[in-house]
Amino acid sequence: QLQLQESGSGLVKPSQTLSLTCAVSGVSISSGGYSWGWVRQPPGMGLEWIGCIYCSGSTYYNPSLKSRVTLSVDRSKNQFSLKLSSVTAADTAVYYCAGTEDGGSRDYWGQGTLVTVSS
Amino acid sequence: QSVLTQPPSASGTPGQRVTISCSGSSSNIGSNTVKWYQQLPGTAPKLLIYSNNQRPSGVPDRFSGSKSGTSASLAISGLQSEDEADYYCAAWDDSLNGSFVFGTGTKVTVL
């Protein structure tokens, strides 16, 4: 059973870089067959897609965040990461990591982690 | 802001059928498949429908999806109290080098 767990700083100062990691268990990222991504949800608001890696062999970003976002994979630790630079209060949200089976028939989500941007 | 538009709310009594619409454009729903997610309060989204009308294993057949042109719909038949949640449509969008987009979300209330 594939499981995902987010970790990282829950409090980030404005203008700094938000960094989150998603640990994957139950499957090897290196084995393929999945795309890996991030979704966020500001308090009381809807879902916003951030980006995905290994999506049909490529990396894609939300155009509105593209200049500030970097996704990466660490195969040795079986985890993938999100970095969002120059954060503001508008980046305060619950951040979810997710894995999707090729073909889209199944999603796996982490429990989500709240990141607050505040001085 | 989202490029997929949903009604903010929908409601029904237990046993009724509720339908949620999702309106997009030729670059997203018009040319790609649609997913639907259910999000219970305080939890991560759960995939309900993929490829417009396919249910992952374990999803009750009370949930059904359809797509026509640049719009899609989710129907919940035999509404149950545990169906009270937020529902989001989603699709790949081919504009701006490609991205995945979520709908604005619909809160379903069981009266």
Side-chain angles (χ1 to χ4, degrees):
Chain A
Q1 176 73 359
L2 195 158
Q3 292 185 319
L4 305 175
Q5 178 65 58
E6 304 92 349
S7 63
S9 176
L11 180 63
V12 182
K13 289 181 168 53
S15 80
Q16 294 190 340
T17 296
L18 177 161
S19 295
L20 294 176
T21 295
C22 183
V24 179
S25 59
V27 71
S28 170
I29 285 181
S30 300
S31 65
Y34 296 85
S35 60
W36 309 100
W38 294 89
V39 172
R40 71 180 183 178
Q41 185 170 35
M45 298 180 65
L47 302 172
E48 181 179 31
W49 181 80
I50 297 172
C52 67
I53 193 165
Y54 294 176
C55 285
S56 302
S58 297
T59 301
Y60 295 91
Y61 297 113
N62 184 323
S64 68
L65 300 171
K66 186 175 183 177
S67 63
R68 299 193 291 129
V69 172
T70 302
L71 301 187
S72 61
V73 169
D74 186 335
R75 294 184 184 86
S76 67
K77 294 182 179 179
N78 212 42
Q79 64 187 31
F80 59 102
S81 299
L82 162 69
K83 290 188 185 299
L84 180 66
S85 63
S86 305
V87 298
T88 69
D91 295 310
T92 294
V94 174
Y95 286 74
Y96 296 99
C97 63
T100 301
E101 286 187 6
D102 287 352
S105 63
R106 188 169 293 193
D107 280 355
Y108 301 86
W109 293 69
Q111 64 185 23
T113 186
L114 174 63
V115 178
T116 301
V117 178
S118 175
S119 55
Chain B
Q1 61 271 23
S2 175
V3 297
L4 302 182
T5 303
Q6 300 177 230
S9 63
S11 62
T13 57
Q16 278 191 328
R17 175 183 171 95
V18 170
T19 301
I20 301 168
S21 61
C22 174
S23 178
S25 67
S26 58
S27 65
N28 42 67
I29 294 178
S31 51
N32 296 290
T33 61
V34 177
K35 290 185 170 183
W36 287 92
Y37 292 89
Q38 176 194 60
Q39 187 178 33
L40 298 171
T43 69
K46 171 189 173 183
L47 182 64
L48 279 183
I49 298 288
Y50 68 97
S51 294
N52 304 326
N53 56 17
Q54 302 298 302
R55 286 185 306 276
S57 60
V59 173
D61 59 7
R62 303 186 292 104
F63 295 93
S64 62
S66 63
K67 175 183 135 174
S68 178
T70 59
S71 294
S73 293
L74 174 72
I76 310 172
S77 59
L79 192 66
Q80 299 181 6
S81 58
E82 58 260 39
D83 298 333
E84 187 160 293
D86 293 321
Y87 293 83
Y88 295 88
C89 60
W92 193 258
D93 192 299
D94 294 331
S95 62
L96 298 175
N97 296 317
S99 63
F100 194 67
V101 290
F102 285 99
T104 50
T106 299
K107 169 66 176 178
V108 169
T109 301
V110 181
L111 302 171

